[in-house]
Amino acid sequence: MAAATTTQATTLITGAEALGIRLSDAQTRQFARYHAELARWNERVNLTAITDWQAAQSLHYLDSLSVALALPREMRQSGAFIDIGSGGGFPGLPLKLAFPGMRGTLVEATAKKTAFLSHVCETLDLPNVSVRAGRAETLAHDGELREAFDITLARSVAEVAALAELTLPFARIGGLVVLHKKSDIADELERALGAIETLGGGLRQVLPVTIPGLPDDRALVALEKVRPTPTRYPRRPGIPAKSPIGATARPERAQRRNKRRKTQDKRTR
Ligand code: SAH
């Protein structure tokens, strides 16, 4: 089955070339094998809506590989990355297949998905990849993982403001956070600038990306870790997404606060 699929891997091979990545036959076979396992497990575990190999070559594999455009060469050769909310392994696993010298950690909250990730790493015999089951909010306080990575990745997990809190704590000083986003990112980014600053990050670049075979444009948002993240972050599981740092308080709460202030003002006058 895997051998049959590699013969139709033109989209992947030529698309990777357009991203500056040359895949060997052995690597292409690994992608096809990975996909066969993904499609097989997807009957039991909800890993992806796209199981068709032709469509997945662009939507999953090339889209994941596009992250390489934001990485300096030495990071592609031997960098340590962590992929937050990896799901079926995106974008971390395609990156590891294309750049075997990298070391990877895949973080995923859902146990069934981590079972798949462990299975596929074993099947593909991938060295230097570890799978961690759990929430990023909790794992980021683990001394082995905190501020330990050259590259922190996330695709389709949350808004940038929330993602900043789920990713920046893992980045070492001088390390990068690279987030996969749609190209109309301006408003989302604007809402996130306060959080990025608070968490010790800075905006490095927004890189427009065209994936061969995909009509809509994407963007990679690259953050740089410039200062340590204050130890109180990330907050408890669920809080970063529910109340992102720097988000304006809910209107009714703000109104109540204003009313209180006015009453106090009157009293002090
Ligand atoms: N990155 C994958 C999956 C996206 S779906 C892809 O692009 O295809 C989002 C995934 O993130 C889900 O599998 C969900 O379980 C996981 N997730 C969401 N919040 C998380 C958190 N705080 N910590 C760890 N995993 C999380």
Side-chain angles (χ1 to χ4, degrees), residues 46-48 60 63-64 83-91 107-110 113 134-137 139 154-158 166 237-238:
N46 184 17
L47 296 164
T48 175
H60 283 327
D63 187 42
S64 294
D83 180 10
I84 305 300
S86 191
F90 307 115
V107 168
E108 172 49 54
T110 308
K113 296 183 185 180
R135 305 269 314 201
E137 292 93 325
L139 292 170
R155 188 185 83 152
S156 309
V157 177
L166 300 178

Side-chain angles (χ1 to χ4, degrees), residues 57-264:
Q57 288 177 55
S58 309
L59 282 164
H60 283 327
Y61 303 106
L62 292 176
D63 187 42
S64 294
L65 288 179
S66 71
V67 76
L69 296 172
L71 304 179
R73 175 195 285 264
E74 70 277 8
M75 284 197 186
R76 292 197 300 256
Q77 275 166 352
S78 59
F81 71 80
I82 186 163
D83 180 10
I84 305 300
S86 191
F90 307 115
L93 274 184
L95 196 66
K96 171 69 186 172
L97 293 184
F99 301 101
M102 294 184 92
R103 282 160 292 144
T105 301
L106 309 174
V107 168
E108 172 49 54
T110 308
K112 282 181 185 168
K113 296 183 185 180
T114 54
F116 167 74
L117 292 171
S118 300
H119 163 78
V120 88
C121 290
E122 212 172 286
T123 306
L124 298 175
D125 202 12
L126 292 181
N128 300 322
V129 183
S130 69
V131 177
R132 298 291 299 256
R135 305 269 314 201
E137 292 93 325
T138 313
L139 292 170
H141 291 286
D142 177 332
E144 269 185 29
L145 301 177
R146 192 173 181 91
E147 306 203 319
F149 295 89
D150 303 311
I151 306 148
T152 308
L153 305 167
R155 188 185 83 152
S156 309
V157 177
E159 270 219 11
V160 179
L163 266 185
E165 192 171 348
L166 300 178
T167 55
L168 277 164
F170 292 99
R172 65 159 169 86
I173 307 291
L176 295 179
V177 171
V178 185
L179 309 172
H180 275 78
K181 286 284 155 186
K182 292 270 155 63
S183 60
D184 52 345
I185 185 76
D187 289 352
E188 191 179 327
L189 210 50
E190 177 78 35
R191 285 194 294 278
L193 291 177
I196 293 169
E197 157 85 23
T198 302
L199 293 155
L203 180 61
R204 181 180 153 111
Q205 65 176 158
V206 178
L207 195 68
V209 176
T210 307
I211 306 294
L214 296 185
D216 52 337
D217 285 341
R218 279 129 211 269
L220 294 170
V221 174
L223 313 177
E224 191 164 9
K225 181 76 168 266
V226 285
R227 277 170 283 105
T229 300
T231 47
R232 60 180 290 244
Y233 298 114
R235 292 163 295 165
R236 280 177 293 117
I239 306 291
K242 201 154 76 180
S243 345
I245 298 169
T248 27
R250 272 178 298 170
E252 67 273 27
R253 244 205 267 161
Q255 269 166 17
R256 249 186 283 138
R257 203 169 44 222
N258 284 341
K259 208 166 157 190
R260 228 169 22 234
R261 273 203 203 120
K262 275 188 200 141
T263 334
Q264 277 166 2

